[in-house]
Amino acid sequence: MPQSLADLDFNLLKTLHVLLSEQQVTRAAQTLGRSQPAVSNALHRLREALDDDLLVRGAGGFTLTPRAEALKAPLREVMAIVETSVLKTTDFDPRSATDVLRISAPDRLTLAVVPSLAARLQRFAPKMSLDVTTADRSQALAMLNDERIDLLLGWSEDLPSHLKGELLYREPLLCVMRRGHPLAKARRRLSIDAVLSFPHVVVSATGGRTQIFDDLLATLGLRRRALVTVSNFTAIPRLLQDGDMVGVFTKLAARALVSSFGLEMRAIPAELGTVATHMVWQLRNDRNSAHVWLREQVRAVYRRLSRGA
């Protein structure tokens, strides 16, 4: 008798299933796409493992032993379960799916990316819905680890091995201000001294008074004056429209503010670098059809936005 399941691997069980069905080594070999000697060797191993002849010669050819007859139906059910539950993938149809897609993104991406992503859902997946959470890096990673979200947009530095990341876009920083602002009169790239000569409004989800731009300034030994700090972009249009404050935001967020609220934007020195946005997900969902579809929708949105459409 086998001492454990290790004595009967899946290939042996599959061979046994076919042998019991065909009741003949040659036909079993043809069905399995294997050589007759290989199937004969497998039958020998099965006989030793189960301590039963399984397939024996009878008056009209080969016949099954009582033990083999008893195994035939249960083994057929096991093979059916493996085929339907393990080997067969579940098709995902976005038009009939009713899933809630859960994403975490910093507020700059909520402003720039979410409207386009929502429009794609309405077009291609009318019964699905989108749940977007604004969170900083540590909060977002915790939610992804706990599977409270399906996808993280933002950062991917030093990811643990169970997460997978993909670069979506690198965008420059732009200075945003009201129409008629002194900086709006500049027709070329602003100097860093010009950008820092006015008070700033800062968006910081963590409640601090700094953001990416401040980190980039620090590398040059520079600082700006943060007159107002807010946790999201809701008040930004009004704050910029009513005075001489300026804001420095990533390109997509700046463009959304300009197109929606009649503001102006100007490029700032290129040496300040760019801001990278990554897409991060659980490695275990790498081939999940619904997750694969969601990630492709995000890529499609970024392809469109990066072309300036």
Side-chain angles (χ1 to χ4, degrees), residues 210-221:
T210 62
Q211 58 174 193
I212 297 172
F213 180 55
D214 298 280
D215 297 335
L216 297 174
L217 285 175
T219 65
L220 302 175

Side-chain angles (χ1 to χ4, degrees), residues 16-187:
L16 176 59
H17 167 60
V18 175
L19 280 167
L20 299 186
S21 299
E22 298 291 352
Q23 296 188 198
Q24 218 260 9
V25 173
T26 301
R27 287 198 301 269
Q30 292 172 348
T31 300
L32 291 165
R34 301 174 65 187
S35 67
Q36 183 172 332
V39 175
S40 294
N41 180 59
L43 177 58
H44 176 72
R45 291 174 58 196
L46 286 163
R47 284 168 169 165
E48 287 190 341
L50 298 175
D51 194 24
D52 190 271
D53 288 334
L54 300 173
L55 196 62
V56 296
R57 291 187 180 277
F62 285 93
T63 187
L64 302 181
T65 65
R67 177 78 186 283
E69 285 286 1
L71 288 172
K72 191 173 181 179
L75 194 55
R76 183 170 57 246
E77 293 180 11
V78 168
M79 291 297 115
I81 290 172
V82 170
E83 182 177 352
T84 57
S85 301
V86 179
L87 301 179
K88 185 178 179 180
T89 58
T90 302
D91 294 330
F92 173 74
D93 180 6
R95 292 204 167 273
S96 60
T98 58
D99 305 53
V100 176
L101 304 177
R102 304 164 302 163
I103 295 176
S104 173
D107 204 44
R108 64 181 175 87
L109 298 183
T110 301
L111 178 69
V113 176
V114 170
S116 295
L117 184 57
R120 287 191 69 85
L121 287 186
Q122 288 182 303
R123 180 180 177 186
F124 299 114
K127 297 181 180 180
M128 299 179 74
S129 55
L130 184 63
D131 185 359
V132 182
T133 301
T134 301
D136 63 23
R137 173 182 166 83
S138 60
Q139 293 171 330
L141 285 174
M143 288 190 292
L144 187 61
N145 285 331
D146 297 340
E147 296 197 83
R148 286 177 282 158
I149 57 173
D150 305 309
L151 198 63
L152 180 160
L153 298 181
W155 322 263
S156 72
E157 298 88 355
D158 303 319
L159 290 178
S161 59
H162 66 281
L163 299 181
K164 189 170 182 179
E166 172 186 326
L167 176 65
L168 289 171
Y169 193 46
R170 288 188 180 276
E171 51 188 320
L173 293 167
L174 298 175
C175 186
V176 181
M177 72 289 294
R178 63 172 172 82
R179 286 182 179 175
H181 191 283
L183 293 183
K185 298 175 183 178
R187 296 190 177 278

